[in-house]
Amino acid sequence: MKTKICALCQKEETTLYRVQTTKGKVWIFVCAECCNEVKSKPDYRYGGTWKGYRH
Ligand SMILES: [Zn+2]
């Protein structure tokens, strides 16, 4: 099982969401909680889900 660190809260997670929170080409990986928080931003874009495990 692989993990990544959330770019906003630095929590280690096995499922992260690829999002943009500002205009531009910068994508960050965030956890579910932080994803919910940045969803309300006007420049929020969703770019996919990263999973560190297989079913
Ligand atoms: Zn987070």
Side-chain angles (χ1 to χ4, degrees):
M1 195 183 277
K2 291 178 187 171
T3 59
K4 272 187 196 291
I5 305 291
C6 170
L8 296 177
C9 70
Q10 271 74 51
K11 218 161 63 178
E12 196 174 8
E13 295 285 348
T14 55
T15 303
L16 289 103
Y17 304 91
R18 189 170 173 255
V19 299
Q20 283 186 338
T21 58
T22 54
K23 276 203 175 77
K25 291 174 182 170
V26 181
W27 291 91
I28 57 171
F29 285 99
V30 299
C31 70
E33 271 174 53
C34 294
C35 186
N36 265 331
E37 278 181 34
V38 299
K39 254 178 195 165
S40 55
K41 289 185 183 241
D43 294 322
Y44 165 82
R45 280 177 72 192
Y46 170 75
T49 303
W50 180 89
K51 282 181 181 160
Y53 59 88
R54 286 161 190 248
H55 288 286

